[in-house]
Amino acid sequence: AEPLCRFMTAESGDGLHWRLAPEAVPVLYQFNDSAVSAGRVPPALRCNDATTVLRRPEGGWELYSASLVEVGRLSPRYIPADLAAGKVRIIQRWTGEDGLRWNAPEVVMTPDENDAADLQFYYLLPSELPRGSFALLGRYEAGRQRLRMEMAYSFDRRHWQRGPRENIFPLPPGIGSVVPAQRLLPLGGKLVLFYNNSNFDHNFRTADGSAPAVTVDRAEIDVGRVIGR
């Protein structure tokens, strides 16, 4: 069978039992989908894995996903070790009123001349704060095949500013990648994040040949210390 890997819209009356919406058509296609391989999907509808859908405070929906830009073998951003060699992950944003029909995407985050040649962006996970939005930005260091978390903030969810261009979590030795849950959780005056640490890289290889392992950890920060508050 031809591989299908598509982002669809579903509906449920109880949050447990789901079915495709009657008018559902693929919102996005993962780059391994057979329709993408056959050239039947326009670039604006192609994505990588990480996709986030949020209800907009003013109504309607917005969607953030890592899209793929192709580069040639002579580009410094061509990373042979990557699972998607020749493709650079950037973040795009879509909006829609009903979750079925979406506007054309706009690019909201892309590596620039101040970033390392192998840096790509894997996800953008926004959280609404009283004044603006705070987001976790997935730093994918393709050369070393590892994921880290950076911070970003915005006051309109279209134009995002990056804070320090570095991993914001102190990591113990032996950590291959850090991957967050999809949402920061408000708890009193704090924001709580659950995330996992793995001892393997993006290609599922460990540095010492040990078995791959994942732990789930928790971090928190006072809301008053977060940009965008």
Side-chain angles (χ1 to χ4, degrees), residues 14 20 29 58 60 68 71 73 83 86-87 93 111 118 121 140 144 160 204 207 214:
D14 58 8
L20 290 179
Y29 296 76
E58 65 272 23
L68 301 167
V71 296
R73 288 181 176 271
L83 291 172
K87 297 179 175 62
R93 175 181 182 261
D118 72 333
F121 295 132
Y140 177 49
R144 287 180 283 185
W160 290 87
F204 300 97
V214 176

Side-chain angles (χ1 to χ4, degrees), residues 5-8 25-30 41 44-47 51 63-65 67 94:
C5 189
R6 303 171 182 182
F7 194 89
M8 306 286 291
V25 296
V27 176
L28 295 175
Y29 296 76
Q30 207 262 0
V41 179
L45 298 182
R46 302 174 190 176
C47 71
T51 299
L63 181 153
Y64 297 86
S65 188
S67 298
W94 290 256

